[in-house]
Structures are given as structure tokens and as C-alpha cells.
């Protein structure tokens, strides 16, 4: 990913109908009119699959990019009821895809499946937001680094283009709970993740985001953490006001 870029990626999860595009329209207007919003910031929204085509058309060549929240681990058309492949997502205009969100890992995504999702998505010219994160038990047993290292090493390979991959560190205990990591812990973890990534990709590390209960108030606590290249935002991305507050309060 481009150096110094800061990402604000909204994950709508199971939220949104066609008229919810109003939320994005307001965010887009804010981006266009706010003088402090620079080329160094990138906004991506991942609505449910039902909205990707219409939203992508609407935001074509605008400041907001549209992505998908997941994809199936195989790309060939097949007898997989309810499944949608990276090829299909790309064909309706998505530019990004989230892979490995803890919601999907808990539904049975294995490392091998995630590797295949990632590989297919990159082949289809999608940028991948690859999620990793420890659960509460790992944290209490001091296993965070061990878990993160294996999640990364079991999926990412040197042959993948690091510029098309964004890693999102999302501690599971912080998703939707209002709890965020201690600043110092988060700094250490981010540096650790970047070290592992650099070992794999040699030249450079993909961008590393933080995700988990980010909102317009606590965003100020992340400001001093320069190593964090942006945020994956769930709950607060469903409201234009909350999402705009996060961006504004980040650079104010
Ligand atoms: P949250 O979700 O911001 O609501 O905690 C983050 C995520 O699941 O990506």
C-alpha cells in the first residue's frame, strides 16, 4: 500500500438497503468539501453484497471506494448454495474485499480457505483487507503474538503483492464491546505485526490497520500511533455523522 496513506474502512456487516446510500453520499460530500481531507486519506465502505453493484456505479470515480465483506474460497462457478466468489464481486464493481474477519473465522474459515480467498481475490485485481486478531483467552494467556504470527504466516506469502494487501489487526475482545487496547500494547503489537510482515515480503510491509470499537471519541487516542495506517470501523460506519467525526477528529 502506498506509504503514509491512512485508511478509513467501514464494514457495514448485515446493515443497509438501497436508500442507505444517503449515508455514503453525505460522507462523500464531506470529503469533497473539507479542505483538511487530503490525498493521504482513503475511504472504503463494504456494504452487504446486495448493494455493491448500485453503490459502485454511483461512486465510480468518486472519493469513496466500495468493497465486499467476504468471498467464497473457490472461484469457479459451482454448486455452492448462497456462495459468492471474488470473481463475482469484482464483476459488479467491488475494488476491495475483507478476508478473515473473526465473524467468518468463527463460522469455519480455515487458514487454507483464507489463503485461497486471498489468492483468488488478488488474481481478480481486488485489494484485500486481511483480518487477524486474538481472542480474550489468548490475551489472558499471553498468547497474542504467537496467535498473530501463525495467522499471518499460514496465509500470507512473499509471492503476493504487498501493495494489494492491507492487514487489519482486530482483537476479537474489542469488536463491538467498546473496549480498546492500551496505547502501549497496541503500539507494540503493531510493530510486531509489521516485523513479521517485513520478514515475509522483504521489501516492505503492507499497511496495518487497527479495528475494534473505533468511534469519534476514542479516535484521538490513536492519533499518536503513527505506525497505524488506518482503521477498520464497524458500528460507527453505519452513521454518516459518526464516520465523519472519526475522520475529522483524527486529523484535527
Ligand atoms: P466495531 O467492529 O467497530 O463495531 O467494533 C469492527 C469490525 O468488526 O470490523
Amino acid at each position: 500500500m502506498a506509504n503514509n496513506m491512512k485508511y478509513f474502512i467501514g464494514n457495514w456487516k448485515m446493515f443497509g438497503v438501497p436508500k442507505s446510500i444517503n449515508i455514503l453520499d453525505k460522507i462523500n460530500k464531506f470529503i469533497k468539501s473539507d479542505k483538511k481531507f487530503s490525498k493521504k486519506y482513503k475511504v472504503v465502505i463494504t456494504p452487504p453484497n446486495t448493494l455493491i453493484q448500485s453503490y459502485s456505479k454511483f461512486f465510480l470515480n468518486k472519493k469513496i471506494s466500495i468493497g465486499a465483506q467476504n468471498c467464497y474460497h473457490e472461484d469457479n462457478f459451482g454448486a455452492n448454495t448462497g456462495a459468492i466468489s471474488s470473481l463475482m464481486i469484482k464483476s459488479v464493481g467491488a475494488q476491495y474485499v475483507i478476508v478473515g474477519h473473526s465473524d467468518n473465522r468463527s463460522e469455519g474459515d480455515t487458514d487454507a480457505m483464507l489463503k485461497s480467498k486471498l489468492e483468488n481475490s488478488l488474481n481478480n485485481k481486488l485489494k484485500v483487507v486481511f483480518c487477524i486478531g486474538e481472542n480474550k483467552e489468548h490475551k489472558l494467556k499471553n498468547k497474542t503474538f504467537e496467535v498473530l504470527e501463525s495467522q499471518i504466516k499460514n496465509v500470507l506469502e512473499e509471492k503476493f503483492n504487498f501493495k494489494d494487501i492491507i492487514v487489519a489487526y482486530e482483537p476479537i475482545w474489542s469488536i463491538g464491546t467498546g473496549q480498546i487496547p492500551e496505547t502501549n500494547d497496541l503500539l507494540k503489537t503493531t510493530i510486531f505485526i509489521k516485523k513479521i510482515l517485513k520478514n515475509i515480503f522483504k521489501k516492505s510491509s503492507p499497511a496495518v490497520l487497527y479495528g475494534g470499537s473505533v468511534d469519534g471519541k476514542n479516535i484521538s487516542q490513536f492519533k499518536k500511533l503513527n505506525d497505524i495506517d488506518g482503521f477498520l470501523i464497524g458500528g460507527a460506519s453505519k452513521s454518516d455523522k459518526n464516520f465523519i467525526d472519526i475522520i475529522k477528529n483524527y486529523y484535527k
Side-chain angles (χ1 to χ4, degrees), residues 5-9 208-211 227-232 250:
M5 186 69 102
K6 296 286 180 192
Y7 294 87
F8 297 89
I9 303 184
V208 176
L209 316 187
Y210 168 75
D227 282 291
I228 294 180
D229 303 305
F231 305 92
L232 182 54
Y250 184 74

Side-chain angles (χ1 to χ4, degrees), residues 9-13 98 101-103 131 168 170-172 174-180 210-215 231-238 246:
I9 303 184
N11 174 11
W12 275 10
K13 308 186 187 181
I98 297 175
H101 191 282
S102 58
D103 287 349
C131 299
E170 297 207 301
I172 297 168
S174 82
I175 296 176
T177 60
Q179 291 173 41
I180 57 169
Y210 168 75
S213 294
V214 174
D215 63 31
F231 305 92
L232 182 54
I233 302 153
S237 70
K238 296 182 289 188
I246 291 175

Side-chain angles (χ1 to χ4, degrees), residues 1 3 6 75 92 121 127 148 169 176 194 217 221 228 252:
M1 287 288 132
N3 269 345
K6 296 286 180 192
D75 231 15
V92 290
S121 299
K127 293 192 190 299
L148 297 176
Y169 168 55
K194 286 199 166 168
K217 287 202 182 89
Q221 298 181 42
I228 294 180
K252 131 177 134 184

Side-chain angles (χ1 to χ4, degrees), residues 133-144 147:
E134 82 284 5
N135 64 25
K136 188 98 200 179
E137 198 186 335
H138 299 139
K139 180 176 157 62
L140 293 174
K141 291 189 173 154
N142 280 326
K143 294 226 155 105
T144 299
V147 169

Side-chain angles (χ1 to χ4, degrees), residues 78-202:
N80 304 301
T81 305
I84 297 180
S85 67
S86 58
L87 181 141
M88 292 155 86
I89 290 161
K90 176 72 185 185
S91 75
V92 290
Q95 296 175 53
Y96 289 74
V97 60
I98 297 175
V99 164
H101 191 282
S102 58
D103 287 349
N104 305 123
R105 287 181 188 262
S106 69
E107 282 163 357
D109 270 5
T110 61
D111 287 336
M113 285 154 82
L114 296 178
K115 194 193 268 285
S116 160
K117 289 182 185 203
L118 198 122
E119 204 153 17
N120 292 336
S121 299
L122 294 176
N123 286 340
N124 284 306
K125 307 259 173 302
L126 288 160
K127 293 192 190 299
V128 175
V129 182
F130 175 57
C131 299
I132 55 171
E134 82 284 5
N135 64 25
K136 188 98 200 179
E137 198 186 335
H138 299 139
K139 180 176 157 62
L140 293 174
K141 291 189 173 154
N142 280 326
K143 294 226 155 105
T144 299
F145 282 12
E146 201 181 303
V147 169
L148 297 176
E149 183 165 358
S150 78
Q151 288 176 336
I152 295 170
K153 286 189 174 163
N154 290 345
V155 176
L156 299 185
E157 291 180 44
E158 189 183 359
K159 68 175 183 192
F160 301 144
N161 187 349
F162 76 92
K163 289 186 182 155
D164 291 331
I165 297 172
I166 299 172
V167 173
Y169 168 55
E170 297 207 301
I172 297 168
W173 51 269
S174 82
I175 296 176
T177 60
Q179 291 173 41
I180 57 169
E182 300 285 334
T183 308
N184 214 23
D185 285 350
L186 184 54
L187 179 63
K188 280 194 211 144
T189 310
T190 309
I191 291 171
F192 174 78
I193 293 169
K194 286 199 166 168
K195 196 180 96 196
I196 302 291
L197 292 171
K198 193 109 188 280
N199 282 340
I200 295 174
F201 292 102
K202 311 286 187 283

